[in-house]
Amino acid sequence: MKKNVGTTDKWIRIIIALIIVALYFANVISGTLAIVLLIVAGMFIITGFVGFCGLYTLLGISTCKKN
């Protein structure tokens, strides 16, 4: 897997995921919406730490700096 998630993109993903988790624990979101958003947050965390996004590969996008 070639990395296609840049540093700024990683931090944005992680921050969004943390906001979603905080909203869940503050009982701002609940029910089906909460489950869907928590799944998205989990995917953001994983792709942020791994540095690879499968959707970016399908769309031909890379946010990594070019060498």
Side-chain angles (χ1 to χ4, degrees):
M1 288 185 299
K2 183 178 176 186
K3 294 191 182 248
N4 60 3
V5 177
T7 305
T8 305
D9 193 3
K10 284 182 187 183
W11 284 109
I12 290 171
R13 289 170 180 264
I14 292 170
I15 290 169
I16 290 173
L18 292 175
I19 290 170
I20 291 170
V21 170
L23 289 173
Y24 175 73
F25 284 116
N27 290 323
V28 175
I29 56 174
S30 62
T32 305
L33 175 64
I35 294 169
V36 171
L37 288 177
L38 287 172
I39 291 170
V40 169
M43 292 171 57
F44 277 179
I45 293 287
I46 292 169
T47 57
F49 283 119
V50 172
F52 176 78
C53 178
L55 185 59
Y56 279 8
T57 302
L58 293 174
L59 298 175
I61 300 172
S62 177
T63 58
C64 289
K65 291 183 180 178
K66 303 211 189 276
N67 291 332

